[in-house]
Amino acid sequence: MTTIVPTSTTQSLAASLATAGVGSLTVPTYDRFADGETLAAVPEFDDDHAIIVASTVDNDAHVELLQLQDAVREAGASDVTTVIPYLGYGRQDTAFKAGQPVSARAVARAISTNTDRVVLVDPHEAGVTDFFDVPTTIASAAGLLAEPLADLDNPLFVAPDAGAIDLAETTRDAYGDGAVDYFEKERDYDTGEIELTPSDAPVAGRDVVVVDDIIATGGTMSGAIEVLNDRGAGRVYACCLHPVLAGAARTKLAAAGVERVVGTDTIERPISDVSVAPAIADALDE
Ligand code: R5P
């Protein structure tokens, strides 16, 4: 038997994993003390094998994950797998300035202390797997992003920076038609300001799908959409694996003239139309 234990941030995806036959669900409790501390618990958990599903989208979610790992051990689990659909702090995978932490390593070490295995879904840098002290694998959901796309006119799949080219190619391959292009991106570390340099690929009248791993503030994606619309593109779609969509990001995309925003359920947002459950189920079987 296997019991799936979701954190409060990852309940829909955990339900999809249960539907996919990965295990049965237990219902945790998520409480908060008057001083703000969280208390996640598993009052009905009774199994040897637990799969904790936790997108660590904020600091509370990190603590909830650590609490649930500890709670299932307290309740007798001998084998704990931790699935992290979205790894928070994954982009701070190096100390960019003197005195900074390698935050991804810090959280990975903490998560490793109470689990036997970790599965990440498309982290920002694959190298973060080395930061964990237990066997850690990657489930790739890139091939699923094209699912909602249909009837595109002479499509062009665009990576808003060189780091997203593979993702744009995989999405094009999954869609089955179209060309791939990418922009050069420079981001000022201190101000966060972004400068995008498009290539010369013709976009006038074509449907364009901009593909990135993360939409956080929406600066990168809305900048790309604006450039494409200025150049006379047809419909412009924004696709991402991890729809962080912080602050006014969703509005920025709308104001830039996006046709549709497509994201996965690694982070549960209104635009999370693609489920990564099949990719996680495959990775758990490996
Ligand atoms: C950066 O390398 C990532 O792939 C994304 O482009 C970035 O995280 C998006 O951030 P934002 O939405 O804040 O521009």
Side-chain angles (χ1 to χ4, degrees):
M1 254 176 60
T2 298
T3 299
I4 301 171
V5 184
T7 54
S8 60
T9 56
T10 323
Q11 298 181 58
S12 297
L13 178 51
S16 299
L17 288 170
T19 303
V22 166
S24 53
L25 286 165
T26 192
V27 181
T29 55
Y30 311 115
D31 290 311
R32 188 178 291 278
F33 292 103
D35 61 2
E37 290 183 351
T38 62
L39 180 65
V42 283
E44 292 164 15
F45 181 86
D46 181 19
D47 202 343
D48 289 334
H49 186 197
I51 296 180
I52 298 174
V53 189
S55 279
T56 49
V57 291
D58 55 27
N59 292 349
D60 281 351
H62 275 279
V63 176
E64 252 185 35
L65 165 56
L66 300 181
Q67 289 176 333
L68 289 175
Q69 287 175 324
D70 206 72
V72 295
R73 291 284 194 208
E74 274 291 300
S78 56
D79 185 48
V80 178
T81 294
T82 301
V83 174
I84 308 180
Y86 174 71
L87 177 70
Y89 293 101
R91 285 175 289 174
Q92 181 77 17
D93 61 342
T94 190
F96 294 102
K97 287 190 167 183
Q100 288 188 350
V102 180
S103 305
R105 184 179 60 202
V107 297
R109 285 177 173 164
I111 292 165
S112 298
T113 54
N114 224 345
T115 191
D116 299 286
R117 179 186 175 197
V118 171
V119 175
L120 305 173
V121 179
D122 294 307
H124 182 61
E125 293 291 347
V128 296
T129 53
D130 295 340
F131 294 151
F132 290 85
D133 299 321
V134 293
T136 299
T137 53
I138 293 176
S140 181
L144 304 171
L145 264 186
E147 273 175 7
L149 303 173
D151 301 324
L152 299 177
D153 185 5
N154 190 16
L156 181 67
F157 292 80
V158 172
D161 58 37
I165 293 174
D166 285 354
L167 190 54
E169 281 177 350
T170 305
T171 308
R172 185 274 314 272
D173 293 347
Y175 181 73
D177 181 31
V180 174
D181 191 28
Y182 72 100
F183 288 4
E184 299 284 352
K185 180 172 93 177
E186 294 285 338
R187 188 194 290 267
D188 184 301
Y189 184 86
D190 293 316
T191 66
E193 221 160 272
I194 290 161
E195 194 182 328
L196 290 171
T197 310
S199 77
D200 293 332
V203 299
R206 303 177 78 170
D207 286 344
V208 182
V209 182
V210 189
V211 192
D212 206 353
D213 64 336
I214 300 171
I215 303 177
T217 65
T220 302
M221 190 58 88
S222 61
I225 294 164
E226 274 167 20
V227 168
L228 290 160
N229 279 330
D230 286 350
R231 297 171 133 218
R235 296 171 295 182
V236 182
Y237 295 79
C239 289
C240 72
L241 289 165
H242 305 298
V244 174
L245 293 176
R250 180 66 186 87
T251 304
K252 276 187 203 166
L253 303 180
V258 73
E259 173 77 13
R260 178 175 174 184
V261 184
V262 173
T264 79
D265 56 358
T266 62
I267 303 175
E268 295 173 2
R269 300 286 186 242
I271 53 79
S272 296
D273 291 330
V274 176
S275 181
V276 300
I280 293 173
D282 286 349
L284 288 169
D285 275 348
E286 279 169 13

